[in-house]
């Protein structure tokens, strides 16, 4: 049996509706989930919502709703968008669900029993927006808002106890934190002594959270609660630990701003609870609008719904996956979106399909011609397709999705050149069999390209395969059946003006 593949997105805060950044991570996870499913690996793709904490409590208050009412109202904002984006998640977790809260309490008990939770009086500077105490140094940076002096009794998790073990783990497992520069960032952070983590909030200040099992006057710090979704969803119990079907997770996909919580808090929590660490934490960059950060106050937040309505879901998925070098920031502008769409999808991919089908319809009564024996240029394309499939897999294994997509487009563009060199529209008048060979070859190249790109653009590639009447999902050359009648179609990727 193939190794199971378990991929997660961050669980999103329900204080606001989702934007293009949330859509990006979720599509990214979806592409990998679809890819591994296609390879025959048992796959669990998990996403969901982070519903506790101060931010949510405040957002609810502003609307005059109870936190639970507010959360219930926000859920469709996310699930409807995921439907619209054709997200194929297998599970959707909400941290207010009993199945989750139960596991948070089990883990708290377990960590408590390991002697890793202690009570202490703490006086310090508290940032309301960050929902945590900040250090003097952090205060001096001026980056924190809503700060007040606070003295409180709280519960602390002995994170510092696991510092050395964590450093060791990161060094011994080069893929644990990806990409490399993020790993170095964490190793740099771990060069300084690690503080313990305050994991409780007194109910007098915040009551929207999971109650501590050992003191009902407190709720759990929202991050300690939220991270546990990665094991509460696949299933955890005290006797068997996390479900062996899925754990350890293959990838936690996250944005670069939540790296410390995932690469420091989460692994030390797991160590204390005696649970294996995930295989990898992958931090992607941010979508910038032009050169600036996307923010509500600037008013440049891109709503994915409008984009899908205007251009269709597959082009949006394609653009987001193609444009961002995984791990780096990327720029979002409508101009870039349109020019990428026109050059890759309309002029290359779509154009090749319409050339092939038009010529087959006109000269071969719409039936896929017989390739006969392959000549050198056909053998070259066949060989290119074989090496394309191998390189594609290699790149996907290494999370280099944008390069994998680029390879397919380069292959398609090569086939377009081959069409021009052989000009089947002229050739058909002199040597119909030779023209048939060219059209078969281009059609087969389209079939293989569509199969490779299907995790990125599940709908349009399916349409393409339907047009070719190609139901064989084998990427081996020769899947297109001569004599098959083509199905009618509208242009697959009409040019955007
Ligand atoms: N609730 C926490 C995550 C808990 S996971 C156990 C959270 N939620 S969030 O809704 O604020 O952010 C979710 C994700 O959106 C983060 O990974 C963040 O990096 C990502 N993005 C927010 N803005 C973004 C862009 N402009 N571009 C790309 N991703 C961005 O944090």
């Amino acid at each position: 049996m193939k190794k199971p593949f378990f991929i997660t997105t961050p669980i999103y805060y329900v204080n606001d509706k989702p934007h293009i950044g949330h859509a990006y991570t979720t599509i990214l996870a979806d592409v990998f989930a679809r890819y591994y499913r296609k390879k025959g690996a048992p796959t669990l793709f998990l996403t969901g919502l982070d519903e506790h904490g101060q931010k949510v409590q405040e957002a609810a208050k502003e609307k005059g709703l109870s936190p639970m009412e507010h959360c219930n109202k926000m859920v469709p904002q996310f699930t409807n968008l995921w439907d619209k984006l054709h997200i194929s998640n297998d599970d959707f977790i909400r941290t207010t669900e009993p199945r989750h809260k139960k596991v948070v309490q089990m883990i708290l008990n377990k960590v408590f029993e390991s002697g890793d939770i202690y009570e202490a009086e703490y006086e310090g500077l508290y940032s309301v927006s960050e929902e945590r105490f900040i250090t003097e140094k952090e205060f001096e940076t001026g980056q924190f808002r809503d700060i007040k002096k606070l003295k409180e009794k709280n519960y602390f998790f002995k994170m510092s106890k696991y510092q050395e073990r964590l450093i060791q783990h990161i060094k011994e497992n080069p893929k644990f934190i990806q990409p490399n520069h993020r790993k170095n960032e964490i190793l740099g952070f771990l060069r300084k002594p690690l503080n313990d983590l305050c994991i409780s909030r007194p109910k007098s200040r915040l009551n929207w959270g999971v109650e501590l099992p050992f003191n009902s006057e407190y709720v759990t710090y929202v991050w300690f609660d939220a991270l546990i979704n990665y094991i509460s969803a696949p299933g955890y119990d005290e006797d068997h630990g996390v479900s062996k079907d899925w754990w350890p997770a293959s990838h936690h996909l996250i944005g670069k701003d939540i790296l410390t919580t995932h690469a420091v808090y989460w692994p030390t929590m797991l160590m204390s609870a005696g649970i294996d660490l995930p295989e990898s934490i992958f931090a992607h960059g941010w979508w910038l609008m032009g050169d600036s950060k996307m923010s509500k106050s600037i008013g440049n937040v891109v709503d994915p719904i409008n984009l899908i309505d205007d251009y269709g879901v597959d082009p949006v998925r394609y653009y987001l996956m193609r444009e961002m070098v995984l791990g780096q920031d990327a720029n979002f502008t409508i101009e870039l979106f349109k020019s990428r769409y026109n050059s890759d999808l309309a002029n290359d991919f779509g154009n090749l399909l319409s050339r092939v089908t038009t010529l087959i319809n006109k000269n071969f009564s719409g039936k896929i011609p017989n390739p006969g024996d392959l000549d050198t240029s056909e053998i070259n394309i066949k060989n290119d397709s074989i090496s394309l499939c191998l390189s594609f897999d290699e790149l996907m294994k290494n999370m280099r999705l944008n390069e994998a997509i680029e390879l397919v487009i380069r292959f398609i563009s090569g086939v377009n050149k081959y069409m021009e060199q052989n000009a089947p529209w002229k050739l058909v008048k002199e040597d119909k069999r030779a023209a048939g060979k060219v059209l078969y070859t281009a059609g087969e190249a389209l079939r293989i390209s569509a199969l490779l790109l299907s995790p990125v653009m599940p709908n349009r590639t399916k349409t393409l395969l339907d047009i070719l009447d190609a139901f064989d999902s084998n990427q081996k050359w020769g899947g297109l059946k001569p004599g098959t009648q083509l199905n009618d179609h509208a242009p697959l990727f009409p040019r955007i003006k």
Side-chain angles (χ1 to χ4, degrees):
M1 195 171 92
K2 290 229 172 186
K3 187 172 179 270
F5 182 74
F6 175 24
I7 191 160
T8 67
T9 73
I11 48 173
Y12 305 109
Y13 284 130
V14 290
N15 50 338
D16 212 346
K17 61 178 192 177
H19 58 59
I20 202 84
H22 307 121
Y24 171 73
T25 325
T26 314
I27 299 168
L28 186 63
D30 186 60
V31 170
F32 281 100
R34 285 174 185 270
Y35 173 79
Y36 279 93
R37 269 188 219 120
K38 221 165 61 103
K39 293 261 160 218
T43 298
L44 175 61
F45 166 17
L46 171 68
T47 187
L49 298 175
D50 191 351
E51 301 191 358
H52 290 131
Q54 194 124 355
K55 283 185 197 154
V56 175
Q57 184 171 285
E58 274 162 16
K61 204 168 145 197
E62 256 171 49
K63 291 188 184 138
L65 297 172
S66 74
M68 199 63 241
E69 282 168 342
H70 167 77
C71 292
N72 288 339
K73 256 193 137 146
M74 289 303 291
V75 172
Q77 299 260 11
F78 289 85
T79 50
N80 290 344
L81 177 62
W82 302 155
D83 285 348
K84 232 175 154 148
L85 281 169
H86 297 127
I87 299 301
S88 65
N89 55 301
D90 301 291
D91 197 355
F92 186 85
I93 190 142
R94 299 177 55 183
T95 53
T96 48
E97 285 175 82
R99 63 164 172 161
H100 172 74
K101 295 199 279 190
K102 198 175 74 193
V103 177
V104 173
Q105 294 192 324
M106 283 189 238
I107 296 295
L108 281 163
N109 277 331
K110 186 113 198 196
V111 175
F112 193 81
E113 282 155 20
S114 312
D116 289 342
I117 289 178
Y118 62 92
E119 227 182 308
E121 179 97 50
Y122 187 83
E123 183 170 16
L125 297 166
Y126 184 83
S127 157
V128 179
S129 58
E130 290 293 309
E131 295 178 46
R132 65 175 175 92
F133 284 98
I134 58 168
T135 60
E136 287 286 346
K137 263 224 170 86
E138 284 178 319
F139 175 70
E140 282 159 17
T141 64
Q143 286 169 0
F144 294 85
R145 291 174 291 116
D146 309 328
I147 297 160
K148 51 186 180 191
K149 234 193 170 126
L150 213 66
K151 189 170 172 184
E152 248 176 33
K153 194 146 93 188
N154 265 310
Y155 288 88
F156 288 80
F157 165 51
K158 281 188 196 161
M159 204 153 70
S160 55
K161 179 173 155 189
Y162 297 97
Q163 177 161 9
E164 278 316 309
R165 217 173 118 191
L166 178 60
I167 295 173
Q168 201 65 23
H169 184 86
I170 297 171
K171 288 187 172 159
E172 282 167 9
N173 297 276
K175 293 211 159 170
F176 181 58
I177 303 172
Q178 296 183 63
N180 234 349
H181 63 278
R182 298 285 169 218
K183 176 178 84 182
N184 295 335
E185 190 181 308
I186 289 295
L187 284 173
F189 175 79
L190 289 170
R191 250 175 246 132
K192 284 170 268 154
L194 196 56
N195 289 326
D196 289 342
L197 183 68
C198 178
I199 55 151
S200 63
R201 297 293 180 265
K203 280 190 180 166
S204 53
R205 176 148 68 76
L206 172 76
N207 58 25
W208 185 235
V210 180
E211 198 171 271
L212 291 188
F214 38 82
N215 188 339
S216 62
E217 282 167 32
Y218 289 83
V219 294
T220 312
Y221 168 46
V222 67
W223 271 102
F224 198 96
D225 160 359
L227 288 160
I228 290 172
N229 91 88
Y230 300 134
I231 58 174
S232 65
Y236 172 88
D237 72 52
E238 276 139 353
D239 298 330
H240 307 96
V242 195
S243 160
K244 301 247 176 340
D245 292 345
W246 304 112
W247 197 257
S250 315
H251 295 296
H252 290 322
L253 294 182
I254 57 165
K256 63 180 182 180
D257 54 315
I258 53 174
L259 181 64
T260 313
T261 48
H262 281 80
V264 179
Y265 299 6
W266 180 226
T268 53
M269 283 164 66
L270 290 168
M271 283 173 182
S272 173
I275 300 169
D276 287 343
L277 304 194
E279 281 171 13
S280 105
I281 297 160
F282 195 104
H284 63 72
W286 273 45
W287 281 97
L288 304 175
M289 300 298 122
D291 284 323
S292 48
K293 219 177 130 168
M294 191 164 56
S295 93
K296 246 177 150 178
S297 52
I298 306 176
N300 61 356
V301 178
V302 177
D303 185 340
I305 301 262
N306 296 339
L307 212 58
I308 304 165
D309 288 345
D310 290 347
Y311 303 105
V313 51
D314 278 13
V316 172
R317 290 173 60 111
Y318 178 83
Y319 174 74
L320 294 176
M321 296 302 109
R322 167 69 181 84
E323 204 61 31
M324 186 178 270
V325 177
L326 251 177
Q328 290 170 27
D329 289 345
N331 240 308
F332 187 97
T333 68
I334 288 292
E335 286 64 41
L336 282 173
F337 172 84
K338 288 183 187 168
S339 84
R340 177 63 76 196
Y341 173 95
N342 280 336
S343 70
D344 290 5
L345 299 181
N347 297 352
D348 259 339
F349 201 18
N351 185 33
L352 181 60
L353 175 72
S354 81
R355 274 171 152 181
V356 169
T357 55
T358 308
L359 288 168
I360 293 180
N361 282 330
K362 199 164 150 203
N363 302 294
F364 295 86
S365 327
K367 288 199 171 67
I368 295 172
N370 205 311
D373 292 332
L374 303 188
D375 292 329
T376 316
S377 39
E378 284 77 34
I379 291 174
N380 284 342
I381 291 191
K382 178 181 166 183
N383 288 341
D384 285 351
S385 87
I386 295 169
S387 61
L388 168 69
C389 293
L390 291 173
S391 313
F392 190 91
D393 284 343
E394 197 50 37
L395 288 167
M396 289 298 278
K397 238 197 279 165
N398 292 303
M399 308 290 284
R400 286 156 65 183
L401 173 60
N402 63 301
E403 289 169 65
I405 297 173
E406 197 183 330
L407 276 192
V408 183
I409 297 297
R410 222 186 291 153
F411 172 68
I412 292 170
S413 147
V415 179
N416 265 322
K417 284 202 189 89
Y418 157 82
M419 286 282 281
E420 264 140 44
Q421 276 154 11
N422 291 279
W425 43 91
K426 275 194 218 145
L427 192 59
V428 76
K429 292 174 201 136
E430 302 145 23
D431 184 349
K432 198 165 168 187
R433 276 178 57 170
K437 187 194 310 265
V438 175
L439 293 173
Y440 179 91
T441 303
E444 178 61 359
L446 276 166
R447 185 188 72 89
I448 290 172
S449 304
L451 288 174
L452 290 174
L453 291 178
S454 65
V456 181
M457 297 189 285
N459 308 293
R460 306 269 174 122
T461 54
K462 180 169 181 308
T463 306
L464 189 151
L465 295 169
D466 285 346
I467 294 165
L468 299 175
D469 214 37
F471 300 107
D472 188 352
S473 61
N474 198 327
Q475 285 166 203
K476 237 175 89 184
W477 188 267
L480 217 50
K481 296 280 164 284
T484 305
Q485 184 76 42
L486 295 185
N487 294 309
D488 284 343
H489 70 98
L492 198 60
F493 296 107
R495 263 189 83 82
I496 301 177
K497 299 248 159 43

